[in-house]
Amino acid sequence: MIVLAAVLIGAVAAAHMVPFPFLFEAFRPSGSVWHVKHERGAPPTIYFTFDDGPNPTWTPPLLDALRDTNARATFFLIDEHITEETAPIVRRISAEGHAIGLHSGTRRLMLMSPDALAARLQVAAQRIRDITGREPCRLFRPHAGWRSLTMYSGLRRAGLQLAGWSWGMWDWDWWRTPRADRIVERLARKASPGDIVVIHDGHHKNSHADRRHAGETIRALVPRLRSRGFHFAPLC
């Protein structure tokens, strides 16, 4: 009984926090996207996504790198990081052809009631509309992937999908300061059509965190992947 209880507790915990589709997604597979299906005959495509911005110091160099490599991506922005200082960056993200999705810097959203969550996200979406004049992407990425059934209900009421990422396709660098050369080697080795990549141009608490690796990674990684025939597109 002890072993069974431990297994059940582990399964419940994993359902909320594992960085890949699990129990919640098995019951509602259309409620989230973790990988984009590669259609036969279509060009192999990678979906770059950037979390925790906008960062007034490091998001602009990242946008420069995307512009210079002619790649389009999706930015998941934390509402609290959208300020008078960073609004021009949000406007630039949209103007340069990138998609903007909703993000959060706290796990508390998984504890909110569906109605409260839907209302909060609708306010955040409206702020992006007001700044860019365009509809944001109908995607929400929870902090660190932590999610719940009530979160899924709230997203459904708000007309949003949960956005995850492909297994291993992120910039976590094993408790070290992220460095572009290490990240590029790993992502280039693992990349496959339909992968959703996560790179952080911000930090969930420190909106001015050093994220120089984001732009450096794009500058080195995009040419390598393009030489293998990959294309790059926003998730929306």
Side-chain angles (χ1 to χ4, degrees):
M1 287 297 293
I2 295 176
V3 173
L4 178 59
V7 169
L8 290 174
I9 292 171
V12 170
H16 289 84
M17 58 181 286
V18 292
F20 51 82
F22 198 55
L23 294 178
F24 295 153
E25 291 70 35
F27 291 107
R28 284 195 176 275
S30 64
S32 62
V33 55
W34 296 82
H35 190 272
V36 179
K37 183 179 179 181
H38 177 61
E39 300 293 342
R40 181 175 294 182
T45 302
I46 295 290
Y47 300 86
F48 287 120
T49 66
F50 301 99
D51 282 10
D52 291 349
N55 182 325
T57 303
W58 295 108
T59 301
L62 167 60
L63 287 167
D64 293 344
L66 289 165
R67 178 199 61 205
D68 295 346
T69 57
N70 193 28
R72 299 294 178 267
T74 305
F75 285 76
F76 287 95
L77 305 182
I78 294 177
D79 186 52
E80 290 81 1
H81 291 179
I82 300 175
T83 64
E84 187 173 325
E85 178 186 20
T86 60
I89 299 173
V90 177
R91 201 172 293 117
R92 179 185 172 188
I93 291 170
S94 177
E96 295 187 359
H98 307 293
I100 297 176
L102 307 181
H103 192 32
S104 171
T106 175
R107 297 179 176 89
R108 290 196 300 272
L109 270 62
M110 63 184 286
L111 303 177
M112 296 178 71
S113 72
D115 285 342
L117 176 61
R120 174 177 175 137
L121 296 179
Q122 286 163 350
V123 169
Q126 185 60 53
R127 292 189 68 211
I128 292 170
R129 286 190 208 99
D130 291 342
I131 292 170
T132 66
R134 298 180 181 178
E135 190 72 22
C137 192
R138 306 305 294 173
L139 292 174
F140 167 74
R141 175 169 283 161
H143 176 56
W146 283 55
R147 54 209 188 273
S148 64
L149 287 175
T150 55
M151 175 178 285
Y152 269 116
S153 295
L155 294 180
R156 192 163 60 252
R157 295 181 191 191
L160 300 173
Q161 247 187 330
L162 185 146
W165 51 85
S166 302
W167 176 250
M169 301 302 289
W170 50 69
D171 61 349
W172 186 59
D173 208 7
W174 296 97
W175 295 286
R176 300 174 293 191
T177 299
R179 210 174 71 187
D181 57 345
R182 291 192 296 256
I183 295 167
V184 168
E185 288 301 321
R186 177 163 50 81
L187 295 182
R189 184 176 64 252
K190 293 176 64 66
S192 62
D195 276 345
I196 299 173
V197 179
V198 178
I199 297 173
H200 293 78
D201 62 318
H203 183 274
H204 65 287
K205 291 184 178 179
N206 179 9
S207 61
H208 290 71
D210 186 342
R211 289 292 186 259
R212 71 188 67 209
H213 74 279
E216 292 172 354
T217 296
I218 289 300
R219 288 192 181 277
L221 182 58
V222 168
R224 287 184 59 169
L225 294 179
R226 185 171 278 132
S227 71
R228 291 163 49 188
F230 281 102
H231 291 231
F232 311 95
L235 276 174
C236 302

